[in-house]
Amino acid sequence: SGEEQSPRLFQFHKDGFLVLEQFFSAEECDSMRRQIQRIVAEMEVPPHCRTAFSTREAEQLQQQGSSDYFLTSGDKIRFFFEKGVLDEKGNFLIPKEKSVCKIGHALHAHDPVFKQITHSPKVQELGRKLGLERPVVVQSMYIFKSLLAVIPHQDATFLHTEPLGRILGFWIALEDATQENGCLWFIPGSHTNGITRRMVRAASGASPCVEFVGSEPAYDDQQFIPVPINKGGLILIHGEVVHKSELNSSESSRHAFTFHVMEARGTTWSKENWLQPTPELPFPSLYT
């Protein structure tokens, strides 16, 4: 009922994030993990990962290939590798499934399992409770969460809208996320100060292919609180709340599926964002 949701919505607007435990079932989480295993088993190493370096020119071509691969991944399913997992011929130095750090950015559009999760009735119902009128899905990612920490950031740095406040992240834990294996940390209430940094597309053909405008403030470590969550839990993330994750110091993995939604009513998507809708994939409506 709307009544019982209101304290939670109040919490979300106050903190800039909201933890909803047991949002998805263990079966739904396992189906996503199985599907990603299939996708990884069939993956081809992208051409830009296979260049044997010889010349500076070859290196530039490789960088360009890498940036094109990223910039055009918005409407495809593509693989982003950990550093040092492939030799220069594109052969794996470690098990294939441990080599990928994330898969993006259109699982929600092209894969039946992830599409069903993204548009599941309970997600749509949550969108309605949040008052979203014309929500569209802008991107999705499967995150393997390796050892690396993710520096403090705001999602709106990468997904800029006019006005701000129109981006919402849905972060689904496919395994328990703990302080040991790299759960998310947030600065509660930090979503009310706007953004100080934007990632924009560089001029076509420039290397690197994106650049940052503005600067990231120095955040006070003391202000972050850890937000562990159990398998199947969902964290709603306001586009401007500051969050990070620490390195995974455990033996266990920390898989997550995440997607971002934009309220399209009265909103302009920045033409400078790295991610752009395409004729093949205009941003699909969350509501089906």
Side-chain angles (χ1 to χ4, degrees):
S1 71
E3 276 312 295
E4 111 200 327
Q5 278 299 323
S6 50
R8 284 178 149 180
L9 284 185
F10 174 77
Q11 197 68 40
F12 174 69
H13 292 302
K14 179 170 160 285
D15 292 338
F17 66 94
L18 181 67
V19 175
L20 299 169
E21 287 282 11
Q22 297 178 329
F23 195 85
F24 288 99
S25 67
E27 292 73 37
E28 287 170 313
C29 293
D30 295 342
S31 74
M32 287 186 264
R33 292 200 63 187
R34 276 196 305 274
Q35 189 67 353
I36 222 73
Q37 282 169 343
R38 281 187 210 111
I39 289 172
V40 169
E42 292 164 14
M43 99 183 145
E44 296 285 317
V45 174
H48 71 265
C49 296
R50 290 193 221 141
T51 359
F53 289 155
S54 50
T55 61
R56 169 134 181 118
E57 203 175 329
E59 232 168 287
Q60 281 171 334
L61 275 172
Q62 198 220 19
Q63 274 177 348
Q64 189 54 46
S66 173
S67 61
D68 290 345
Y69 186 79
F70 168 67
L71 283 179
T72 57
S73 66
D75 60 353
K76 300 179 190 69
I77 296 178
R78 291 201 160 160
F79 304 94
F80 299 91
F81 295 93
E82 300 286 3
K83 284 195 174 23
V85 299
L86 296 161
D87 65 18
E88 62 277 4
K89 295 193 184 71
N91 299 318
F92 290 100
L93 300 168
I94 63 169
K96 202 174 175 183
E97 59 282 359
K98 290 211 160 70
S99 68
V100 185
C101 60
K102 66 177 189 180
I103 297 178
H105 286 89
L107 286 160
H108 63 279
H110 298 313
D111 181 88
V113 172
F114 292 98
K115 186 175 195 170
Q116 193 181 354
I117 291 287
T118 303
H119 296 279
S120 58
K122 45 197 168 187
V123 169
Q124 297 193 40
E125 186 195 352
L126 181 55
R128 293 199 165 89
K129 281 182 176 153
L130 288 161
L132 301 177
E133 292 181 49
R134 280 192 26 228
V136 295
V137 186
V138 298
Q139 70 162 9
S140 55
M141 285 186 289
Y142 190 102
I143 302 170
F144 292 82
K145 181 59 186 171
S146 64
L147 302 170
L148 296 177
V150 175
I151 61 166
H153 67 282
Q154 298 166 289
D155 293 342
T157 285
F158 307 96
L159 310 171
H160 191 266
T161 60
E162 208 55 61
L164 285 170
R166 300 298 171 86
I167 291 288
L168 186 59
F170 291 71
W171 194 96
I172 304 157
L174 304 185
E175 305 176 89
D176 294 350
T178 63
Q179 280 197 53
E180 291 66 45
N181 75 358
C183 70
L184 298 181
W185 294 64
F186 290 86
I187 300 182
S190 57
H191 60 302
T192 56
N193 305 328
I195 59 168
T196 56
R197 192 172 73 129
R198 285 182 58 188
M199 183 171 97
V200 300
R201 279 179 175 246
S204 182
S207 180
C209 57
V210 291
E211 55 197 12
F212 285 95
V213 179
S215 59
E216 199 65 82
Y219 295 112
D220 174 4
D221 270 350
Q222 301 298 309
Q223 292 189 306
F224 283 94
I225 63 161
V227 180
I229 188 164
N230 295 307
K231 176 178 176 172
L234 168 74
I235 306 180
L236 273 182
I237 304 176
H238 186 287
E240 283 115 79
V241 74
V242 178
H243 57 291
K244 66 174 182 177
S245 66
E246 296 296 338
L247 55 105
N248 180 351
S249 56
S250 75
E251 293 296 303
S252 54
S253 54
R254 190 223 69 180
H255 290 202
F257 175 57
T258 171
F259 58 91
H260 283 90
V261 164
M262 170 177 76
E263 168 61 91
R265 186 175 173 272
T267 309
T268 312
W269 177 256
S270 171
K271 290 271 185 283
E272 295 182 307
N273 286 339
W274 76 266
L275 176 83
Q276 293 296 326
T278 62
E280 294 75 35
L281 184 63
F283 294 150
S285 170
L286 180 68
Y287 301 148
T288 47

